[in-house]
Amino acid sequence: MDERLEQQIDFIREIDKAKSIWRQTYISDGTRRENDAEHSWHMAVMAFLLSEHANSDIDVLKTIKMILIHDIVEIDAGDTYAYDEKAHETKKERECAAADRLFGILPKDQGELLLSLWDEFEANETPEARFAHSLDNLQPILLNDASDGLAWREHGVHSSQIYKRNEITELGSKTLWNYVDGLIKKNMDTGNIIRG
């Protein structure tokens, strides 16, 4: 096997580990938590189905690529729970080191491409990155709503925490933000989210 193909196959094997990175969000029926691979797949489907709701015209394929690789770094860095302030203090450092190692497995041109897509997602400045972030915020809210707020209730999540995390959702899609806001209010009314 040639060296380029070997590097690509090594990367493909390595990212299989994303199936073992468990998130705090439960799948919709509440029977178990979702993993990073499921999260990224779900968002990728959402990207092409919901792209018409982006604030700007976006390159859907580029957005999907960004989504598919955005959490690969958690293979090394672990999943940082959205509302864990202490873990967020070291998140960037852990994830940058992970990005260098993981994307460094690939042939140089592909590694640089994936790293640039990951950096673009993290910077959240392009229409594609902003829409990807909108989906990244919407997806766990959809699952929390479907599972009757299971993870929110387990962690005692307050509405202020959810609103702070979703400050950037509107940058990618005002339509999706309005939908998210409705779900947050609904779950505050049912007691799944603590007011305040």
Side-chain angles (χ1 to χ4, degrees):
M1 188 181 314
D2 72 37
E3 182 181 354
R4 182 177 178 84
L5 179 56
E6 191 66 53
Q7 289 173 305
Q8 292 165 331
I9 297 296
D10 286 346
F11 180 77
I12 290 166
R13 284 189 188 111
E14 187 69 10
I15 65 170
D16 185 66
K17 293 176 181 176
K19 296 174 186 172
S20 299
I21 305 299
W22 298 100
R23 298 168 50 82
Q24 292 301 312
T25 306
Y26 285 85
I27 61 173
S28 59
D29 68 4
T31 57
R32 65 170 175 83
R33 288 186 169 91
E34 72 171 344
N35 65 47
D36 271 358
E38 292 167 328
H39 169 67
S40 295
W41 160 81
H42 208 191
M43 283 178 56
V45 173
M46 291 167 65
F48 74 80
L49 290 178
L50 301 176
S51 61
E52 66 192 69
H53 302 293
N55 290 343
S56 308
D57 287 338
I58 59 166
D59 179 336
V60 177
L61 180 57
K62 180 181 180 184
T63 305
I64 290 171
K65 288 177 185 177
M66 199 177 292
I67 285 167
L68 289 173
I69 59 103
H70 84 288
D71 275 345
I72 284 176
V73 295
E74 293 182 2
I75 290 169
D76 288 358
D79 176 56
T80 304
Y81 182 50
Y83 308 115
D84 183 343
E85 291 180 22
K86 182 76 173 155
H88 275 273
E89 292 173 7
T90 61
K91 179 181 178 190
K92 184 172 182 162
E93 180 183 329
R94 288 181 287 116
E95 290 190 349
C96 286
D100 288 342
R101 183 190 81 79
L102 290 161
F103 300 135
I105 295 170
L106 284 162
K108 189 173 184 343
D109 63 315
Q110 289 183 322
E112 288 175 353
L113 172 64
L114 268 60
L115 183 58
S116 72
L117 285 169
W118 184 77
D119 285 337
E120 182 177 340
F121 175 83
E122 290 297 308
N124 195 38
E125 293 173 350
T126 63
E128 290 80 11
R130 288 179 173 170
F131 188 65
H133 273 278
S134 294
L135 297 176
D136 199 26
N137 288 341
L138 169 63
Q139 192 265 354
I141 288 178
L142 290 175
L143 293 182
N144 268 292
D145 179 63
S147 65
D148 196 30
L150 189 53
W152 287 329
R153 287 184 284 114
E154 277 185 0
H155 292 280
V157 175
H158 290 251
S159 58
S160 59
Q161 294 173 289
I162 299 172
Y163 279 117
K164 183 174 177 15
R165 176 168 170 74
N166 278 275
E167 287 174 339
I168 61 172
T169 301
E170 190 174 14
L171 297 176
S173 174
K174 291 178 182 170
T175 302
L176 297 181
W177 162 245
N178 289 333
Y179 190 81
V180 164
D181 188 40
L183 291 178
I184 295 168
K185 288 174 178 162
K186 171 188 155 190
N187 281 277
M188 286 167 57
D189 290 344
T190 60
N192 292 332
I193 298 170
I194 301 167
R195 289 182 186 275

